[in-house]
Amino acid sequence: MKKLIVVSMITLSISAMIFQSCKKKDNPMSPTPPTLYDSLGGTTMVADPATSGAKIEAGRLLIRNIIDSTIFIIAGDTALNGHFTVLLSEVGSGNLSGFQALSKNITDFVAVGTGAKDYKYTGLDMVTAHDPAKNPRMNGKADNGDMDAFEKDLFAGAAKAGVPATTPALISVGKIVESLRSQIVQQ
């Protein structure tokens, strides 16, 4: 009987250790680590200043504000604006559809790239998007100087949107952008 109790206790102890081990690793209720998107504001719903009465995720709103500010900075940057003559011509004539489409595409791209779950990027891949032979909205291939200017304008756009260049989340986004250099630079 004593032997049966010892075996039962050992079996129970091993079972408890296995259960605890599985519980720590596979528990669907355990919190997932925060994403970069979470650090940019995440899924908290806030008022959308662009659409009266509408709500938007705080992370998406911040990303959109940075992207829109960056597009405006690029429009005034003679080092880059020559690549966007179609867009600038449209905006100059009062047609904002191209601007809105570009803003949405890049916002989706960055949101998904930083871990957003509620959005999907459906735009062109980076090589096609930056190849004027395949994307008639792009005027000329980008070189390394263009990429450097874009990164500078991105950080200036973020600053204009109220996000300092030293913000860890923005630095991480900058690293993601830099990782795309080989796909964007085609000259």
Side-chain angles (χ1 to χ4, degrees), residues 67 70-71 74 80 82-84 102 105-106 109-110 121 123-144 146-151 176-187:
I67 296 306
T70 301
I71 293 170
I74 289 170
L80 290 178
H83 290 287
F84 301 95
L102 180 63
N105 253 353
I106 298 173
F109 183 81
V110 174
Y121 175 69
L124 301 172
D125 64 83
M126 290 296 100
V127 173
T128 303
H130 293 88
D131 183 350
K134 296 176 183 170
N135 180 4
R137 297 188 63 80
M138 189 73 186
N139 186 36
K141 291 185 176 185
D143 62 22
N144 279 310
D146 296 325
M147 186 69 179
D148 293 341
F150 173 77
E151 289 175 353
I176 292 169
V177 170
E178 178 59 30
S179 75
L180 300 170
R181 183 179 287 265
S182 65
Q183 297 171 47
I184 294 170
V185 172
Q186 298 180 16
Q187 184 167 297

Side-chain angles (χ1 to χ4, degrees), residues 6 11 20-21 31 43 50 52 60 66 85 96 102-103 112 121 127 149 159 164 178:
V6 171
T11 303
Q20 280 299 95
S21 174
T43 59
S52 181
R60 183 172 182 82
I66 292 170
T85 56
L96 298 179
L102 180 63
S103 173
V112 170
Y121 175 69
V127 173
E178 178 59 30

Side-chain angles (χ1 to χ4, degrees), residues 61 66 68 124 154:
L61 177 60
I66 292 170
D68 289 354
L124 301 172
L154 175 64

Side-chain angles (χ1 to χ4, degrees), residues 85-96:
T85 56
V86 173
L87 177 66
L88 295 174
S89 175
E90 290 170 351
V91 171
S93 67
N95 177 359
L96 298 179

